[in-house]
Amino acid sequence: MTDLLLSRRLRHAALAAGLASLLLGGSAYASPQLMSEVDARGAQQLRYANFAQWVSDFRRFAAAQGISEATLASALDGVRYRDRVIELDRYQPEFVRPIWEYLDSAASDTRINTGRERLAEHRQTALEMQQRFGVPAEIIVAIWGIESNYGSNFGDFSTIEALATLAYDGRRHEFARGELLAALRIIDQGDISAERMKGSWAGAMGHTQFIPSSFEAYAVDGDGDGHRDIWGSIPDVMASTANYLAKAGWQAGQPWGVEVVLPASFDYTQTERRSSAEWASQGVRAQKGGELPGFESAAIVVPAGANGPAFLTGPNFRAILRYNNATSYALAVATLADKIAGREGIQQAWPRDEAMLTRDDVKELQQRLNEAGYSVGGADGVMGPNTREGLRAYQRDQGLTPDAFATQSLLERLRQAR
């Protein structure tokens, strides 16, 4: 952005601020709404002007890191601050979505059927990547389905504009700054043009939503044209996704896990991994019968507590978590893949009648646990490991099943104890 344009924008911001001052001093009856609008316009103009200066400074930094002037011009000339990106970055939903509602959508009949169609359409490519990387074709297709609904919704934000906005004004600006530099390197290497580099508001790109640093580390040229194109080449999409999982520790020939039935006496405070044989010795058995998978290191996952389904998960489940570190995500990928391949899905019922907590409810839960002597750290409204550990301890002391599943009934119990 030229110094002349920057100067003009700064003057516009000053004029807007001056107009507000004039209105305040010149009329005792200036509308508060008008004043608010003038203040907002002035602040917005100043934000845009400061963004332009930030981009100018970053451009010099990127040039010093070896990014060519041609790439800098194509990517940063005319780059815009995107208000919508900041709105989405700062948005926090009031309600925490129950995992069963998420799975209903993520592994819906429509998505299963479309996944089967896409697998049939690209079967040769998917099987080639399965052979090359050891990752089953249905897992590759399932991630494609979860991440972008098979390419129908991978976002239309300019990755450069999204990351520049986040680097300037986002909650994780240093992270976004590093990703922006990585995006410029990708353009500089000739894999994609700045114009075609599209994705989500958060900077995740293409059919399977790689952030730029992940693209640099894991993207693969699957069609042999010399470029890594996760926006337009399905062979590149599949190869890159499979390579990511392989590098994350995927073990060929092993399942992601298995649905299990836990004994009535099961100790839910166990959070460490054990071998399948050790879990079996505690009475854990496969829901469908037969032997448990032969995992050397496996975890028991109960995402909806003792009254919901339970799973024995192995290294491949952890590899999916490397893609997105949320149990609900990994379970969605696993479930969708099973259904695409014609296997049965989850058999045990979810506790759909349980009333879930809002974000404010979780904050209150955390506050009350702290007050009761179960230190869980700050009340941020997020059910992290510390909150779950504190909740398990409270449940155990109350003679309840210590499954760390937060519900309205548990919160009400804490309220009444006060």
Side-chain angles (χ1 to χ4, degrees):
M1 185 167 291
T2 67
D3 292 339
L4 177 60
L5 180 56
L6 174 60
S7 176
R8 286 175 178 169
R9 288 192 172 180
L10 286 168
R11 287 201 302 274
H12 288 163
L15 285 170
L19 177 58
S21 176
L22 180 62
L23 285 172
L24 184 61
S27 172
Y29 301 99
S31 163
Q33 180 179 354
L34 176 60
M35 291 301 302
S36 177
E37 291 175 358
V38 170
D39 288 346
R41 286 197 296 271
Q44 184 183 57
Q45 289 293 334
L46 187 59
R47 186 184 308 115
Y48 291 167
N50 288 341
F51 175 69
Q53 182 61 55
W54 184 91
V55 171
S56 179
D57 292 342
F58 179 81
R59 185 169 184 156
R60 286 192 292 272
F61 167 75
Q65 300 301 307
I67 304 299
S68 71
E69 181 54 39
T71 292
L72 292 173
S74 68
L76 298 179
D77 282 357
V79 66
R80 300 170 296 167
Y81 177 94
R82 298 296 300 273
D83 295 276
R84 180 59 176 159
V85 167
I86 297 303
E87 289 174 11
L88 292 167
D89 182 51
R90 293 176 182 168
Y91 170 73
Q92 288 188 328
E94 179 183 359
F95 290 94
V96 178
R97 193 179 186 188
I99 186 171
W100 48 88
E101 290 185 7
Y102 174 69
L103 292 176
D104 288 346
S105 172
S108 66
D109 288 344
T110 298
R111 189 163 287 176
I112 293 164
N113 292 332
T114 304
R116 290 170 178 168
E117 292 170 4
R118 293 295 177 271
L119 180 53
E121 181 181 356
H122 301 283
R123 181 171 296 279
Q124 183 175 348
T125 298
L127 292 178
E128 177 186 336
M129 301 313 163
Q130 177 176 304
Q131 178 66 28
R132 180 175 172 184
F133 296 102
V135 180
E138 63 268 23
I139 291 286
I140 299 170
V141 173
I143 286 184
W144 185 18
I146 299 295
E147 290 291 345
S148 69
N149 200 16
Y150 309 106
S152 67
N153 184 29
F154 60 68
D156 60 0
F157 284 91
S158 159
T159 299
I160 297 298
E161 289 189 340
L163 289 172
T165 299
L166 291 169
Y168 167 69
D169 203 17
R171 291 176 296 116
R172 302 170 63 199
H173 53 88
E174 285 300 324
F175 171 78
R177 188 171 184 265
E179 292 300 320
L180 177 58
L181 185 62
L184 293 177
R185 287 195 296 262
I186 293 166
I187 296 168
D188 214 31
Q189 291 163 3
D191 282 312
I192 193 74
S193 67
E195 182 181 2
R196 285 190 59 220
M197 185 179 271
K198 301 283 187 180
S200 75
W201 66 267
M205 311 180 300
H207 284 261
T208 48
Q209 297 287 278
F210 278 26
I211 59 174
S213 59
S214 292
F215 181 99
E216 288 190 301
Y218 305 112
V220 173
D221 174 17
D223 58 17
D225 69 351
H227 299 288
R228 299 173 296 174
D229 181 4
I230 61 171
W231 297 266
S233 168
I234 299 305
D236 288 8
V237 169
M238 290 188 168
S240 300
T241 305
N243 184 51
Y244 189 111
L245 291 174
K247 294 290 179 60
W250 189 277
Q251 297 187 9
Q254 284 196 0
W256 61 267
V258 63
E259 189 175 357
V260 294
V261 176
L262 304 179
S265 60
F266 186 76
D267 178 8
Y268 287 86
T269 63
Q270 300 176 94
T271 58
E272 63 273 22
R273 297 172 191 153
R274 304 180 187 276
S275 69
S276 294
E278 289 175 300
W279 288 121
S281 70
Q282 293 189 26
V284 176
R285 58 184 178 84
Q287 198 275 334
K288 299 175 186 176
E291 295 289 327
L292 295 175
F295 298 139
E296 294 181 3
S297 175
I300 296 293
V301 175
V302 284
N307 293 323
F311 307 91
L312 178 75
T313 61
N316 291 343
F317 193 82
R318 296 197 290 275
I320 300 172
L321 286 172
R322 285 279 300 277
Y323 210 101
N324 183 321
N325 192 29
T327 297
S328 56
Y329 174 86
L331 197 56
V333 169
T335 300
L336 180 58
D338 283 345
K339 291 291 193 72
I340 288 172
R343 297 186 289 270
E344 288 185 319
I346 298 169
Q347 299 299 299
Q348 298 170 85
W350 296 99
R352 294 176 181 269
D353 57 345
E354 284 283 6
M356 304 303 295
L357 303 182
T358 67
R359 188 172 294 272
D360 285 343
D361 288 336
V362 174
K363 289 181 181 179
E364 183 184 351
L365 178 79
Q366 292 167 323
Q367 290 167 352
R368 292 186 181 278
L369 285 171
N370 281 329
E371 291 168 0
Y374 301 93
S375 179
V376 301
D380 58 3
V382 177
M383 286 293 301
N386 289 340
T387 302
R388 294 185 187 282
E389 183 178 349
L391 184 56
R392 283 192 192 96
Y394 170 77
Q395 289 173 310
R396 183 181 59 245
D397 291 347
Q398 293 292 310
L400 305 172
T401 302
D403 59 7
F405 186 50
T407 62
Q408 288 286 351
S409 59
L410 267 176
L411 178 57
E412 186 58 34
R413 190 183 188 101
L414 277 162
R415 286 170 177 159
Q416 292 176 359
R418 193 169 185 175

